[in-house]
Amino acid sequence: MRHGQLIAVTAIALVGMAGCADRPNDLDTYYDDPVRQTENSPRAASSSPRALPLPSATTTTSSPPVEPLGPALLTDADVASEGVAPADAPSAMEGCLSGLPEGRTTSAGWRYPTGSELHQHVLGLAEGNAATAVEELRCVDTEPLTLGSPEGTTAHRGWCVGSTCTVVLARNEIVSAVQVAAGSADRAAEAAVRLAPAVATALARRVSQR
């Protein structure tokens, strides 16, 4: 190699070493720092996103209010002209009345000075029509009881079995039945027919109190 070329190569090598001399010869500087930056970066430190559970939905259903049956019952004032006093009434409807559809019921009872009995049953139907229930009521071995159409009612029936006579009236979803058990069929029939307008008035009173 020529002397001039050797001097040039030596000069280039010295320049390169001088450039590297300004940087510390620390392997950590070249290789560790990039790794640490990656581990300490927010993206690497954060975990995978998780979906939070949604609150369970609650469904509230409200039932329609139940209309009371009490206003359709006869009061002591309603039957004062009969001269009766309060007494117990059967808890369940008997005889032909047991053929009515099931529903909410309430009852009342009175007793005549002669020992005759007066009972009333009020039935509230959840489904169907009270008039249809009365019209479809079938009784056997009964004597029909002639009865006018009390004002405000949609259906009516009357019959006697022995010395017990019954009047049944319907209005909206309510059926109201009055039974009189007397010493004779004639006296029971007269009392039942006489009470029919008061029963119709009580049905109308219940409607007006809604």
Side-chain angles (χ1 to χ4, degrees):
M1 179 180 295
R2 294 181 182 180
H3 181 70
Q5 293 177 345
L6 179 59
I7 294 174
V9 171
T10 302
I12 293 173
L14 290 175
V15 171
M17 292 177 64
C20 293
D22 293 336
R23 300 175 60 186
N25 188 13
D26 188 355
L27 294 179
D28 293 340
T29 303
Y30 298 110
Y31 300 102
D32 289 346
D33 286 348
V35 176
R36 289 174 184 168
Q37 292 176 4
T38 302
E39 291 177 351
N40 295 332
S41 64
R43 181 177 301 177
S46 62
S47 58
S48 300
R50 292 181 300 170
L52 296 177
L54 296 176
S56 57
T58 56
T59 303
T60 303
T61 56
S62 57
S63 300
V66 177
E67 299 289 347
L69 300 177
L73 284 174
L74 295 170
T75 65
D76 291 342
D78 293 332
V79 297
S81 59
E82 296 291 311
V84 295
D88 294 335
S91 57
M93 291 183 286
E94 302 172 346
C96 291
L97 294 179
S98 62
L100 289 168
E102 294 184 357
R104 297 178 296 120
T105 61
T106 186
S107 304
W110 296 267
R111 186 180 298 275
Y112 286 87
T114 59
S116 299
E117 295 180 347
L118 166 61
H119 299 151
Q120 183 191 17
H121 299 281
V122 177
L123 168 66
L125 300 180
E127 298 180 359
N129 186 279
T132 302
V134 172
E135 292 169 352
E136 294 180 349
L137 187 60
R138 296 292 179 264
C139 297
V140 296
D141 300 329
T142 62
E143 293 292 332
L145 181 62
T146 303
L147 182 68
S149 180
E151 184 178 358
T153 60
T154 52
H156 63 276
R157 293 280 298 278
W159 65 83
C160 294
V161 178
S163 59
T164 299
C165 294
T166 304
V167 168
V168 182
L169 306 180
R171 178 166 182 160
N172 297 339
E173 79 283 10
I174 301 298
V175 177
S176 183
V178 167
Q179 289 183 318
V180 178
S184 68
D186 290 341
R187 292 177 61 184
E190 290 173 0
V193 172
R194 189 168 58 242
L195 286 165
V199 175
T201 299
L203 285 172
R205 179 171 60 218
R206 177 186 179 277
V207 172
S208 65
Q209 291 184 7
R210 287 184 177 181

